[in-house]
Amino acid sequence: MRLQRLEEVLDANLELVRRGLVLHTFGNASAVSREEKLVVIKPSGVSYDEMKPANLVVTDLDGKIVEGELNPSSGLPTHLVLYRAFPNIGGVAHTHSEYATAWAQACRSIPCFGTTHADYFHGPIPVTSVMKDEEIASDYEKNTGQAIVQAFEHVNHAAIPAVLVANHGPFTWGPTPKAAAHNAVILESVARMAYFTLQINQRVEPIGRELHAKHYLRKHGSNAYYGQTRKGN
Ligand SMILES: [Zn+2]
């Protein structure tokens, strides 16, 4: 595994900490190399202050360790399910960030109340079903991944790169580990704002389809025009 990819994954993990999304060691970010059929993830239980690129763990798509001395993060099987089910993603992040986790614990999807949400997520942030006892008793982490995949049966994972696992917390993804971590940061902000919005007005409605589409589509897709996209600038 190239050092650059290890550094990218380390940086995505540290970004979650820098942004205050990770309490203690409750969080992890990973990347997949589709060509090499390898995944890089944070090691289990190592303090972030001491984490070096060489401490990261490289596994195959079945979770077998290929490089690294340490055990991978216990969340690895969830990430592996997502990499299989969502073939175009390159990175996954998981945190217990407070506001997104509060929505997950309340088993409520996050409605789109404004354009910050609409800029990043083309619809409400789905929440998974509550996992059954037998899904928790064995292969818990893998079944967590299955619950996420199920929540996206009728939802486009590329247009809504985030989910709330019921009673647990958020997972986000993107084309790179950096994008996955960035989406985790935005999700926490959106979750926080949605919470306050409902405090101020309990009868507030989600924004309309037109405004939502306007904001999402000006940043994403073939007709995007937001930012510096003109050639020659
Ligand atoms: Zn967790």
Coordinates of all heavy atoms in Angstrom, one line a residue, residues 9 13 25 27-30 39-48 51-60 63-77 80 141:
V9 N -5.6 8.4 4.9 CA -6.5 7.8 5.9 C -6.2 8.3 7.3 O -7.1 8.6 8.1 CB -6.4 6.3 5.8 CG1 -7.3 5.6 6.9 CG2 -6.9 5.8 4.4
N13 N -8.8 10.5 9.7 CA -9.1 10.2 11.1 C -8.8 11.3 12.0 O -9.6 11.7 12.9 CB -8.2 8.9 11.5 CG -8.9 7.6 11.1 OD1 -9.9 7.2 11.7 ND2 -8.4 7.0 10.1
T25 N -12.0 7.3 21.6 CA -11.6 6.7 20.4 C -12.9 6.2 19.6 O -12.8 5.3 18.7 CB -10.7 5.5 20.6 OG1 -11.4 4.5 21.4 CG2 -9.4 5.9 21.2
G27 N -14.6 6.4 16.8 CA -14.7 6.9 15.5 C -13.6 6.2 14.6 O -12.7 5.6 15.2
N28 N -13.8 6.2 13.3 CA -12.9 5.6 12.4 C -13.1 6.0 11.0 O -14.3 6.3 10.7 CB -12.9 4.0 12.5 CG -14.3 3.5 12.5 OD1 -15.0 3.7 11.6 ND2 -14.6 2.8 13.6
A29 N -12.0 6.1 10.3 CA -12.1 6.4 8.8 C -11.3 5.4 8.1 O -10.3 4.9 8.6 CB -11.7 7.8 8.6
S30 N -11.7 5.1 6.9 CA -11.0 4.1 6.1 C -11.0 4.5 4.6 O -11.8 5.4 4.2 CB -11.6 2.7 6.2 OG -12.9 2.7 5.5
V39 N -8.2 -2.5 1.7 CA -8.8 -1.4 2.5 C -7.8 -1.0 3.6 O -7.0 -1.8 4.1 CB -10.1 -2.0 3.2 CG1 -10.6 -1.0 4.3 CG2 -11.1 -2.2 2.1
V40 N -7.7 0.3 3.9 CA -6.8 0.8 4.9 C -7.7 1.4 6.0 O -8.6 2.2 5.7 CB -5.9 2.0 4.5 CG1 -4.9 2.2 5.5 CG2 -5.4 1.7 3.1
I41 N -7.5 1.0 7.3 CA -8.4 1.6 8.3 C -7.5 1.8 9.6 O -6.4 1.2 9.7 CB -9.5 0.6 8.7 CG1 -10.6 1.2 9.6 CG2 -9.0 -0.7 9.3 CD1 -11.9 0.5 9.6
K42 N -8.0 2.6 10.4 CA -7.3 3.0 11.7 C -7.2 1.7 12.6 O -8.1 0.9 12.5 CB -8.2 4.0 12.3 CG -8.1 4.2 13.8 CD -9.3 5.2 14.2 CE -9.4 5.3 15.7 NZ -10.2 4.5 16.4
P43 N -6.1 1.6 13.3 CA -6.0 0.5 14.2 C -7.0 0.6 15.4 O -7.4 1.7 15.7 CB -4.6 0.5 14.7 CG -4.2 2.0 14.6 CD -5.0 2.5 13.4
S44 N -7.3 -0.5 16.1 CA -8.2 -0.4 17.2 C -7.5 0.1 18.5 O -6.3 -0.3 18.8 CB -8.7 -1.9 17.5 OG -9.6 -1.9 18.5
G45 N -8.1 1.0 19.1 CA -7.7 1.5 20.5 C -6.3 2.2 20.6 O -5.7 2.2 21.7
V46 N -5.7 2.7 19.5 CA -4.5 3.4 19.6 C -4.8 4.9 19.8 O -5.7 5.4 19.1 CB -3.6 3.2 18.3 CG1 -2.4 4.1 18.3 CG2 -3.2 1.8 18.2
S47 N -4.1 5.6 20.6 CA -4.4 7.0 20.9 C -4.0 7.8 19.6 O -3.0 7.5 18.9 CB -3.7 7.5 22.1 OG -2.8 8.5 21.8
Y48 N -4.9 8.8 19.3 CA -4.7 9.6 18.1 C -3.4 10.4 18.1 O -2.8 10.6 17.1 CB -5.8 10.6 17.9 CG -7.1 9.9 17.4 CD1 -8.1 9.4 18.4 CD2 -7.4 9.7 16.1 CE1 -9.2 8.8 17.9 CE2 -8.5 9.1 15.7 CZ -9.4 8.6 16.6 OH -10.6 8.0 16.2
M51 N -0.6 8.1 16.7 CA -0.9 7.3 15.5 C 0.0 7.8 14.4 O 0.1 9.0 14.1 CB -2.4 7.5 15.1 CG -2.9 6.2 14.5 SD -4.6 6.5 14.1 CE -5.4 6.3 15.7
K52 N 0.7 6.8 13.8 CA 1.6 7.1 12.6 C 1.0 6.3 11.4 O 0.3 5.3 11.6 CB 3.0 6.5 12.9 CG 3.6 6.9 14.2 CD 4.5 8.1 13.9 CE 5.3 8.6 15.2 NZ 4.5 8.7 16.4
P53 N 1.4 6.8 10.2 CA 0.9 6.0 9.0 C 1.1 4.5 9.1 O 0.3 3.7 8.7 CB 1.6 6.6 7.8 CG 2.0 8.0 8.3 CD 2.2 7.9 9.8
A54 N 2.3 4.1 9.7 CA 2.7 2.7 9.7 C 1.8 1.9 10.7 O 1.7 0.7 10.7 CB 4.1 2.6 10.2
N55 N 1.0 2.6 11.6 CA 0.1 2.0 12.5 C -1.2 1.5 11.9 O -1.9 0.7 12.4 CB -0.2 2.8 13.7 CG 1.0 3.2 14.5 OD1 1.1 4.3 15.0 ND2 1.9 2.3 14.8
L56 N -1.5 2.1 10.7 CA -2.7 1.8 10.0 C -2.7 0.4 9.6 O -1.7 -0.2 9.4 CB -3.0 2.8 8.9 CG -3.1 4.2 9.3 CD1 -3.5 5.1 8.1 CD2 -4.2 4.4 10.3
V57 N -3.9 -0.2 9.4 CA -4.0 -1.6 9.1 C -4.5 -1.8 7.7 O -5.6 -1.1 7.3 CB -4.9 -2.3 10.1 CG1 -4.9 -3.8 9.9 CG2 -4.5 -2.0 11.5
V58 N -3.9 -2.6 6.9 CA -4.3 -2.8 5.5 C -4.9 -4.3 5.5 O -4.3 -5.2 5.9 CB -3.1 -2.7 4.5 CG1 -3.6 -3.0 3.1 CG2 -2.5 -1.3 4.6
T59 N -6.1 -4.4 4.9 CA -6.7 -5.7 4.8 C -7.2 -5.9 3.4 O -7.3 -5.0 2.6 CB -7.9 -5.8 5.8 OG1 -9.1 -5.1 5.2 CG2 -7.7 -5.3 7.2
D60 N -7.6 -7.2 3.1 CA -8.2 -7.4 1.8 C -9.7 -7.1 2.0 O -10.2 -6.8 3.1 CB -7.9 -8.8 1.3 CG -8.5 -9.9 2.2 OD1 -9.4 -9.6 3.0 OD2 -8.1 -11.1 2.0
G63 N -11.4 -8.6 5.0 CA -11.0 -8.2 6.3 C -9.7 -8.9 6.8 O -9.3 -8.8 7.9
K64 N -9.1 -9.7 5.9 CA -7.9 -10.4 6.3 C -6.7 -9.4 6.3 O -6.5 -8.7 5.3 CB -7.6 -11.5 5.3 CG -6.7 -12.6 5.9 CD -6.7 -13.8 4.9 CE -5.3 -14.3 4.7 NZ -4.5 -13.8 3.6
I65 N -5.9 -9.4 7.4 CA -4.8 -8.4 7.5 C -3.7 -8.7 6.5 O -3.2 -9.8 6.4 CB -4.3 -8.4 8.9 CG1 -5.4 -7.9 9.9 CG2 -3.1 -7.4 9.0 CD1 -5.0 -7.9 11.3
V66 N -3.3 -7.7 5.7 CA -2.3 -7.8 4.7 C -1.0 -7.1 5.1 O 0.1 -7.5 4.9 CB -2.8 -7.3 3.3 CG1 -1.7 -7.3 2.3 CG2 -4.0 -8.0 2.9
E67 N -1.2 -5.9 5.8 CA -0.1 -5.2 6.3 C -0.5 -4.6 7.6 O -1.6 -4.2 7.8 CB 0.2 -3.9 5.4 CG 0.9 -4.3 4.1 CD 1.0 -3.0 3.2 OE1 1.2 -1.9 3.7 OE2 0.8 -3.1 2.0
G68 N 0.5 -4.5 8.5 CA 0.3 -3.8 9.8 C 0.4 -4.8 10.9 O 0.0 -6.0 10.8
E69 N 0.9 -4.3 12.1 CA 1.1 -5.1 13.3 C -0.1 -5.2 14.2 O -0.3 -6.1 15.0 CB 2.2 -4.5 14.1 CG 3.5 -4.1 13.3 CD 4.4 -5.3 13.1 OE1 4.8 -5.9 14.1 OE2 4.6 -5.7 11.9
L70 N -1.0 -4.2 14.0 CA -2.0 -4.0 15.0 C -3.4 -4.5 14.5 O -3.5 -4.8 13.3 CB -2.2 -2.5 15.3 CG -0.9 -1.8 15.9 CD1 -1.1 -0.3 15.8 CD2 -0.7 -2.3 17.3
N71 N -4.3 -4.7 15.4 CA -5.7 -5.1 15.0 C -6.4 -3.9 14.4 O -6.3 -2.8 14.8 CB -6.5 -5.6 16.2 CG -6.0 -7.0 16.6 OD1 -5.5 -7.8 15.8 ND2 -6.0 -7.2 17.9
P72 N -7.2 -4.2 13.3 CA -8.0 -3.1 12.7 C -9.1 -2.6 13.7 O -9.5 -3.4 14.6 CB -8.6 -3.7 11.5 CG -8.6 -5.2 11.7 CD -7.5 -5.5 12.7
S73 N -9.6 -1.4 13.5 CA -10.7 -0.9 14.2 C -11.9 -2.0 14.1 O -12.1 -2.6 13.1 CB -11.2 0.4 13.5 OG -12.5 0.7 13.9
S74 N -12.6 -2.1 15.2 CA -13.7 -3.1 15.3 C -14.8 -2.8 14.3 O -15.5 -3.7 13.9 CB -14.2 -3.2 16.7 OG -14.7 -1.9 17.1
G75 N -14.8 -1.6 13.8 CA -15.9 -1.3 12.8 C -15.6 -1.7 11.4 O -16.4 -1.5 10.5
L76 N -14.4 -2.3 11.2 CA -14.0 -2.7 9.8 C -15.1 -3.5 9.1 O -15.3 -3.2 7.9 CB -12.7 -3.5 9.9 CG -12.2 -4.2 8.5 CD1 -11.8 -3.1 7.5 CD2 -11.0 -5.1 8.8
P77 N -15.7 -4.5 9.6 CA -16.7 -5.3 8.8 C -17.8 -4.4 8.3 O -18.4 -4.7 7.2 CB -17.3 -6.3 9.8 CG -16.2 -6.5 10.9 CD -15.5 -5.1 11.0
L80 N -16.5 -2.7 5.2 CA -16.3 -3.7 4.1 C -17.7 -3.9 3.4 O -17.7 -3.9 2.2 CB -15.8 -5.0 4.6 CG -14.3 -5.0 5.2 CD1 -14.0 -6.4 5.7 CD2 -13.3 -4.5 4.1
E141 N -21.1 -6.1 13.7 CA -20.6 -5.0 12.8 C -21.0 -5.2 11.3 O -21.3 -4.3 10.7 CB -19.0 -4.9 13.0 CG -18.6 -4.3 14.3 CD -18.6 -5.4 15.4 OE1 -18.7 -6.6 15.1 OE2 -18.4 -4.9 16.6

